[in-house]
Amino acid sequence: MDKIGRIKELVGILQKAAYAYYGLDSPLMTDKEYDDLYDELSALEKETNCVLAGSPTVKVQGYVLDGFTKVRHTKPMLSANKTKETNEIKKFVGEKSFYGSYKLDGLTVVVRYKDGKFTQGITRGNGIEGEDITEQCKFIKNLPMNISYKKDLELRGECVISWDEFRRINKDLDTPYSHPRNLAAGTLRNLDLNINKERNLSFIVFECVTDLKKDSKSETLIDVYNMGFEIVPITKLNSTVNQVHDALQPEFYQYPVDGIIFELDSRKLSESLGATSHHEYCRMALKWEDELYETKLKDIEWNTSKTGLINPVAVFEPVDLDGAITTRATLHNVSYIEDLQLGIGDTIQVYRANMVIPKVHSNLTRSNAWKLPDKCPCCGGDVEIHNENGSKTLHCMNPDCKTKLLGKLVHFVSKNAINIDGMSEATLQLLIERGWVKSFKDLYNLKENQIYLWKYHTVGFGEKSVDKLLENIEKSRNTTLDRFIYGLCIPLIGRTASKVIAKEFNNQAEEFYDIWCHSYDFTKLDDFGDAMNNSMKVFIRDNYGWIAELIGEFNFRESDNNGNVKQVLEGETFVITGSLKAYKNREELVSVIERNGGKVSGSVSAKTSYLINNDVASTSGKNKKAHDLGIPIISEGEFIQMITS
Ligand SMILES: [Zn+2]
């Protein structure tokens, strides 16, 4: 494998290893193996001058930007002329030398390099002027920050999110994105760089704007690939139009695509052909046709989401959509149904948008006999129609709606909030359905009979898995104030805002609690406007009581640099000897130490931090050794003080 290829491979391996280590707590390799690969990567980067943004040797921190600056493009960014007919393509290429590539479905971005360093990233914008997204681009993991090519370089490419990554991110969102393109755009145009950091955006080059002194565009792209960039897959020169079509099927590619680009290979010939104000004459796009299928509408289902939004879904007679038997499609919102004038029994046309998401295209019979539900299908509570960006949406107004509680709980226990490891949505749903959990606080006060039923009489659970979950619930009592605030689901208060608030109150729950009693002006805080201030005030006014109680369930700790809870016994090693009084047995004490981040060892050595022995004056071997090494000997009582103070 060439050196650039090995760099790409190493970055991938090390990213996975770091994720498994920090994110999953299950290391894929030893520290030594990791260090060896890291050293190999770092040597290759020095040798080739190619450093990818996702490389572990580059550390970029997330933060929030003030706004976007406008930048002019060096040459207008035009669209490609489009057709759905392969005959049109055949006419276009004629006898000329051409290649085919995927038409990527993301956000077009221009990147610029000077002296071998990444200097600027710009969105397409209106084609003449785009927005400066240089800082956002630094989080695109496969984008090189350093390259061996030292002259000015400008490339055009598509910023995309793979289907896998799209599904992974959407899983955790209250309002999922409808397409990876929207997710990529939403991520790239986000001023909160903490969000960019967590989403795996990819940059795929499709055009080299700079003249690299080669007439062949496909050869130029290969040069770009050898600099360390990922390029769009291209077909061999002079394959037939049909061969290109067969080679570039959407399911062969990990990224979303919506057609095929046919591009003339010669740079000079392309330039001589010129352009209209809309498109250049050197390329043409073949758009895949969305085929329409007729079927009958059987029902409109209404489903309450975690936020209380009630979403309509069309249920129709089974139809084969390009090989997938489909019976349901989203209807988006109330306005969408009104526009289609739907009614049960209507003949509708459905299709697979971009060959992926089933949608209702049109209603051929338009009976308009549909009915708006007057109660929430989940809780039977009152509903209201809201107007959101010009569309009517239906909402459940019952604050205790079970679905909403589930949504809040899912958020509360999530990784960036209170972080109860292993507590899945399905588990929370079960706890709610059984009536055991009606609030955040209930999670920390499960009754003995409930635990018994859960352990021994619940399908899908066993003694061990329930014990593990209970242990993780206990662990989560050690938290930080910002995680706690973020977990409360206060409208408009995200992770960054939660951190700002926690910092203002010195990470002390008591200080924070004080503000419930006094009026506090949050607009004093960085980036807090009137809307966020009001949101906090309304939330405080309406939820004062239960939050005060909930605070009592937690031990608030400082956080480390990565925002993780700093455990009170972190870095401490204990040795236990003699009989115990306060704890049932040694295992119980060991688990308390470990839960608080400490370690337990069998024998006293220079690495021991404390010897726990109720008989402080004993002359046992362990006591003597501790004395000799100057290691403090503490009683159970002193230990308990240590973890509760
Ligand atoms: Zn409801």
Side-chain angles (χ1 to χ4, degrees):
M1 189 185 305
D2 61 18
K3 285 170 185 160
I4 299 284
R6 178 65 178 160
I7 286 179
K8 288 177 180 172
E9 184 181 67
L10 283 170
V11 168
I13 295 172
L14 292 171
Q15 271 174 4
K16 263 197 210 115
Y19 177 70
Y21 186 86
Y22 296 109
L24 304 174
D25 261 356
S26 57
L28 292 176
M29 54 178 77
T30 64
D31 290 358
K32 164 95 174 76
E33 283 165 330
Y34 184 91
D35 290 344
D36 287 348
L37 293 175
Y38 184 98
D39 292 344
E40 184 190 347
L41 173 65
S42 147
L44 278 172
E45 285 176 343
K46 275 207 192 80
E47 191 185 333
T48 60
N49 267 322
C50 170
V51 183
L52 301 187
S55 167
T57 65
V58 186
K59 281 260 171 351
V60 262
Q61 287 295 318
Y63 52 96
V64 179
L65 297 173
D66 291 335
F68 293 104
T69 324
K70 296 255 186 282
V71 185
R72 226 182 146 75
H73 291 297
T74 38
K75 67 168 197 177
M77 299 192 73
L78 305 173
S79 315
N81 203 10
K82 296 177 190 73
T83 179
K84 288 190 172 179
E85 304 287 330
T86 41
N87 280 337
E88 289 290 313
I89 299 288
K90 284 176 187 161
K91 264 192 249 163
F92 159 69
V93 295
E95 300 293 308
K96 299 187 262 312
S97 184
F98 75 97
Y99 61 87
S101 71
Y102 282 116
K103 184 172 183 297
L104 292 152
D105 196 4
L107 198 72
T108 305
V109 167
V110 176
V111 292
R112 292 175 179 169
Y113 290 77
K114 232 181 176 53
D115 280 334
K117 292 207 163 35
F118 169 72
T119 54
Q120 198 170 38
I122 313 156
T123 62
R124 181 179 185 280
N126 59 11
I128 303 295
E129 220 177 36
E131 284 169 334
D132 188 309
I133 49 160
T134 306
E135 293 308 311
Q136 285 83 348
C137 285
K138 291 180 183 165
F139 295 96
I140 302 174
K141 300 224 159 70
N142 69 344
L143 184 73
M145 292 291 104
N146 292 320
I147 52 172
S148 55
Y149 185 79
K150 297 292 174 211
K151 291 181 206 151
D152 288 4
L153 179 71
E154 182 168 324
L155 303 171
R156 288 179 179 179
E158 199 86 350
C159 216
V160 284
I161 279 185
S162 69
W163 285 110
D164 279 350
E165 183 65 3
F166 170 69
R167 283 184 276 265
R168 180 187 76 81
I169 294 169
N170 250 357
K171 205 170 62 206
D172 297 332
L173 297 180
D174 288 344
T175 324
Y177 285 89
S178 60
H179 191 274
R181 176 186 53 251
N182 307 358
L183 176 58
T187 304
L188 212 51
R189 291 199 69 264
N190 206 306
L191 292 171
D192 185 347
L193 297 184
N194 297 298
I195 290 176
N196 283 267
K197 218 175 146 203
E198 287 160 11
R199 296 179 180 173
N200 281 307
L201 281 170
S202 299
F203 179 73
I204 316 291
V205 178
F206 59 73
E207 184 186 352
C208 180
V209 179
T210 311
D211 186 356
L212 297 186
K213 306 290 174 224
K214 269 190 186 156
D215 188 49
S216 163
K217 291 190 213 165
S218 54
E219 280 176 31
T220 304
L221 276 178
I222 303 295
D223 288 349
V224 168
Y225 171 84
N226 285 326
M227 291 175 195
F229 293 90
E230 189 164 344
I231 61 167
V232 67
I234 52 181
T235 57
K236 269 197 274 185
L237 283 185
N238 308 323
S239 313
T240 65
V241 169
N242 288 343
Q243 281 169 339
V244 170
H245 189 265
D246 291 345
L248 299 176
Q249 292 295 309
E251 59 270 27
F252 298 161
Y253 200 40
Q254 77 210 79
Y255 300 111
V257 287
D258 60 353
I260 299 173
I261 295 277
F262 290 82
E263 177 107 22
L264 302 185
D265 192 46
S266 163
R267 194 177 182 99
K268 287 202 187 81
L269 174 66
S270 299
E271 279 165 13
S272 74
L273 292 173
T276 69
S277 62
H278 172 263
H279 60 264
E280 290 178 79
Y281 285 118
C282 62
R283 71 180 63 92
M284 196 156 186
L286 178 70
K287 294 275 279 183
W288 287 308
E289 194 138 20
D290 296 318
E291 271 195 74
L292 298 177
Y293 298 85
E294 260 180 43
T295 181
K296 267 205 164 41
L297 184 70
K298 279 169 62 182
D299 194 12
I300 298 174
E301 251 181 43
W302 297 85
N303 299 319
T304 312
S305 75
K306 293 173 195 172
T307 53
L309 176 69
I310 306 174
N311 294 309
V313 175
V315 183
F316 42 81
E317 284 174 2
V319 53
D320 185 345
L321 287 190
D322 309 309
I325 305 295
T326 310
T327 57
R328 302 158 69 84
T330 176
L331 290 169
H332 301 286
N333 51 48
V334 175
S335 301
Y336 198 82
I337 301 177
E338 282 179 348
D339 292 347
L340 284 168
Q341 299 182 301
L342 286 174
I344 311 300
D346 276 353
T347 303
I348 54 173
Q349 286 182 313
V350 294
Y351 70 108
R352 207 163 261 281
N354 293 313
M355 310 189 80
V356 183
I357 301 153
K359 294 209 167 168
V360 177
H361 177 266
S362 50
N363 181 5
L364 301 178
T365 43
R366 293 190 168 257
S367 72
N368 205 17
W370 69 283
K371 287 212 169 53
L372 188 75
D374 55 356
K375 296 273 176 248
C376 168
C378 171
C379 69
D382 288 339
V383 293
E384 254 182 31
I385 287 190
H386 294 179
N387 205 313
E388 282 178 4
N389 307 320
S391 294
K392 289 186 205 164
T393 50
L394 191 65
H395 297 257
C396 168
M397 300 315 290
N398 173 11
D400 298 322
C401 180
K402 274 184 194 159
T403 312
K404 285 197 212 171
L405 173 62
L406 176 63
K408 283 182 189 164
L409 279 168
V410 167
H411 175 82
F412 186 67
V413 307
S414 67
K415 203 159 180 288
N416 292 322
I418 293 299
N419 190 16
I420 301 182
D421 203 21
M423 184 61 81
S424 68
E425 180 168 338
T427 305
L428 289 167
Q429 179 140 29
L430 176 110
L431 297 176
I432 293 171
E433 274 169 7
R434 295 271 174 106
W436 299 340
V437 171
K438 298 191 182 76
S439 66
F440 294 159
K441 191 173 152 62
D442 289 345
L443 265 181
Y444 292 89
N445 294 283
L446 288 166
K447 311 249 171 353
E448 224 163 280
N449 65 328
Q450 294 168 346
I451 292 171
Y452 178 83
L453 289 171
W454 191 11
K455 271 188 194 175
Y456 304 109
H457 297 282
T458 307
V459 178
F461 290 90
E463 201 179 339
K464 276 204 181 125
S465 63
V466 173
D467 278 339
K468 183 81 199 154
L469 272 169
L470 291 171
E471 197 187 311
N472 290 342
I473 291 175
E474 284 308 310
K475 258 192 205 168
S476 75
R477 287 183 193 267
N478 290 326
T479 193
T480 58
L481 186 56
D482 64 289
R483 284 170 174 275
F484 180 79
I485 296 171
Y486 176 61
L488 295 175
C489 304
I490 308 171
L492 303 181
I493 307 299
R495 280 176 76 193
T496 309
S498 301
K499 282 183 186 157
V500 172
I501 298 173
K503 198 168 160 223
E504 174 70 12
F505 296 100
N506 301 312
N507 302 308
Q508 299 293 315
E510 293 76 19
E511 286 192 33
F512 177 62
Y513 176 69
D514 245 14
I515 69 165
W516 308 115
C517 317
H518 304 104
S519 56
Y520 183 87
D521 180 13
F522 288 93
T523 55
K524 295 198 291 207
L525 302 181
D526 282 353
D527 294 327
F528 273 66
D530 287 336
M532 282 160 91
N533 188 41
N534 283 339
S535 182
M536 281 301 290
K537 293 208 158 160
V538 169
F539 196 83
I540 290 167
R541 190 194 65 205
D542 296 347
N543 301 287
Y544 171 79
W546 66 262
I547 292 176
E549 282 179 20
L550 186 64
I551 283 177
E553 299 294 339
F554 293 92
N555 309 311
F556 290 92
R557 306 273 184 227
E558 305 257 301
S559 64
D560 67 14
N561 293 336
N562 298 320
N564 296 318
V565 183
K566 208 159 162 186
Q567 302 269 46
V568 65
L569 300 181
E570 207 160 279
E572 312 281 18
T573 304
F574 293 83
V575 174
I576 309 165
T577 187
S579 58
L580 298 171
K581 289 177 230 148
Y583 293 99
K584 231 180 353 203
N585 51 35
R586 218 166 261 198
E587 283 79 67
E588 192 176 67
L589 177 53
V590 168
S591 89
V592 170
I593 292 173
E594 287 176 348
R595 200 189 302 146
N596 285 285
K599 281 188 195 140
V600 177
S601 145
S603 57
V604 176
S605 75
K607 285 186 183 159
T608 309
S609 320
Y610 297 95
L611 174 64
I612 301 177
N613 186 352
N614 284 321
D615 187 359
V616 179
S618 144
T619 51
S620 73
K622 280 185 177 146
N623 266 30
K624 196 167 170 300
K625 194 153 183 205
H627 261 301
D628 293 347
L629 293 167
I631 293 160
I633 304 171
I634 58 171
S635 66
E636 275 177 286
E638 286 168 290
F639 170 78
I640 292 168
Q641 276 254 304
M642 192 185 270
I643 56 167
T644 49
S645 62

